[in-house]
Amino acid sequence: VSRQGWKRLQPQLDLLALFTQQLSRYLGQAVQLHRTHAQELTEQRDWQQLETRKLVHEVNNPLSIINNYLHILGMKLGKDNPAAEEISIIKEEITRVGDILARMRDIEVPGTREEGVLHLNQVIQELFRLFEKSLLRPNGIEAELNLDESIPPLLLGAGAVKQVLMNLVKNAAEAMPEGGRLRVSTRDRVHKNGNLYVELQVCDTGPGLSDQVLTALFKPVVSSKKDHSGLGLAIVKNLLDRLSAEVSCSSTAAQGTRFQILLPRTLAENERR
């Protein structure tokens, strides 16, 4: 303050001293409260990470045993047995479960885009061979595949796309407990806003979704089913976001539900054309 201002403040020095003491005490308490809260959050996060690692370790043990028994069963049946291919698919899925658990163990690390080579039609065909006997036929659901054979290998994570497809097919089957038709189709070279995509569609003839459900479809707590919270579609959205893919849904009581997924048409150097 100026010299004149200081003179005017002289009669209020006791009040100013009391004010600064109270302000200092308040700020000190606020800083200490912030530090305590930050420490509690750190301890809670460390505890959650430890518990997650324990859970992953415990789950991996039976998965390893199952995988070993499948390997032995495959050897006993021989490569020419019709069940050998199904056993191979199941072993791949168990391995993928292990990879998902490994990401849970390191959940503090932000998710990154999964790289790899995706043979889209092959992934669909393999999954439907597995679904046919375990999920579709027992529920009276007729499967129809309409796949564009011109789709080249894509530089996208096959595991993420497989998980997306499994969630959508499972949801469709649950929406048709008395039977129906499930159609999965692919299409190459779909243009949108100047970008090139590969399209994947999953359609069912179920009762459709209400407007309320459609409005917040990809949020974890929303579902038209009573047995879970709709977490599967939230996972679908998260996986597709990591792939820089787009997803949309249309649904009516008359025509059922259709999910359209646009996968980036990212090709290897030797596949670009």
Side-chain angles (χ1 to χ4, degrees):
V1 295
S2 65
R3 187 182 298 274
Q4 290 298 114
W6 175 248
K7 289 181 179 180
R8 288 196 298 271
L9 289 174
Q10 287 297 318
Q12 308 294 333
L13 285 182
D14 291 342
L15 180 61
L16 287 173
L18 179 61
F19 172 75
T20 54
Q21 288 174 4
Q22 292 298 321
L23 179 61
S24 175
R25 186 177 302 167
Y26 170 78
L27 292 175
Q29 291 174 347
V31 170
Q32 184 59 40
L33 182 63
H34 174 75
R35 288 175 177 171
T36 302
H37 182 61
Q39 180 65 27
E40 290 175 351
L41 289 177
T42 300
E43 292 175 355
Q44 182 180 9
R45 184 187 62 187
D46 291 343
W47 178 83
Q48 289 176 339
Q49 291 174 2
L50 178 60
E51 291 302 309
T52 300
R53 289 187 175 96
K54 289 180 181 178
L55 176 63
V56 170
H57 177 75
E58 291 301 315
V59 174
N60 270 328
N61 287 335
L63 283 180
S64 298
I65 294 172
I66 294 171
N67 215 13
N68 289 336
Y69 272 105
L70 284 172
H71 179 71
I72 295 172
L73 179 60
M75 292 180 62
K76 289 182 177 179
L77 293 175
K79 294 182 179 180
D80 297 330
N81 192 286
E85 186 175 3
E86 281 78 3
I87 291 175
S88 176
I89 293 174
I90 294 172
K91 289 180 66 177
E92 289 177 5
E93 292 306 305
I94 290 176
T95 301
R96 194 165 66 86
V97 170
D99 293 339
I100 294 172
L101 289 171
R103 292 201 299 270
M104 284 181 59
R105 180 189 59 204
D106 302 321
I107 197 167
E108 68 275 11
V109 180
T112 56
R113 178 170 173 167
E114 182 186 356
E115 298 293 347
V117 178
L118 168 66
H119 300 271
L120 181 58
N121 291 340
Q122 180 180 334
V123 166
I124 295 171
Q125 290 166 341
E126 288 177 353
L127 283 179
F128 268 79
R129 280 196 292 270
L130 190 61
F131 288 145
E132 180 67 25
K133 297 178 181 178
S134 62
L135 182 64
L136 302 179
R137 191 183 301 170
N139 293 305
I141 298 173
E142 178 185 350
E144 176 186 342
L145 298 183
N146 185 12
L147 308 180
D148 184 347
E149 298 298 335
S150 67
I151 297 175
L154 305 175
L155 285 181
L156 294 174
V161 174
K162 188 180 294 187
Q163 190 171 351
V164 166
L165 187 61
M166 290 182 71
N167 274 289
L168 293 180
V169 171
K170 182 174 179 290
N171 283 356
E174 290 177 353
M176 299 183 289
E178 298 180 1
R181 182 179 298 105
L182 174 66
R183 179 169 57 85
V184 175
S185 61
T186 57
R187 183 170 50 141
D188 195 12
R189 294 183 173 276
V190 175
H191 291 262
K192 182 180 179 182
N193 298 329
N195 296 317
L196 196 57
Y197 297 92
V198 171
E199 180 188 66
L200 167 64
Q201 284 196 27
V202 178
C203 309
D204 66 62
T205 58
L209 304 172
S210 68
D211 291 339
Q212 181 181 1
V213 172
L214 281 172
T215 301
L217 189 62
F218 297 104
K219 294 182 180 179
V221 296
V222 177
S223 175
S224 62
K225 294 171 287 185
K226 298 180 181 180
D227 56 338
H228 64 75
S229 62
L231 185 61
L233 289 180
I235 294 173
V236 165
K237 184 66 168 63
N238 181 262
L239 290 169
L240 293 176
D241 285 345
R242 293 186 186 184
L243 297 175
S244 300
E246 297 186 14
V247 59
S248 62
C249 176
S250 61
S251 184
T252 64
Q255 298 182 351
T257 301
R258 176 180 69 92
F259 283 92
Q260 181 198 46
I261 296 169
L262 297 180
L263 300 169
R265 197 178 189 274
T266 308
L267 310 180
E269 289 289 342
N270 59 342
E271 293 287 347
R272 292 177 183 173
R273 58 182 189 269

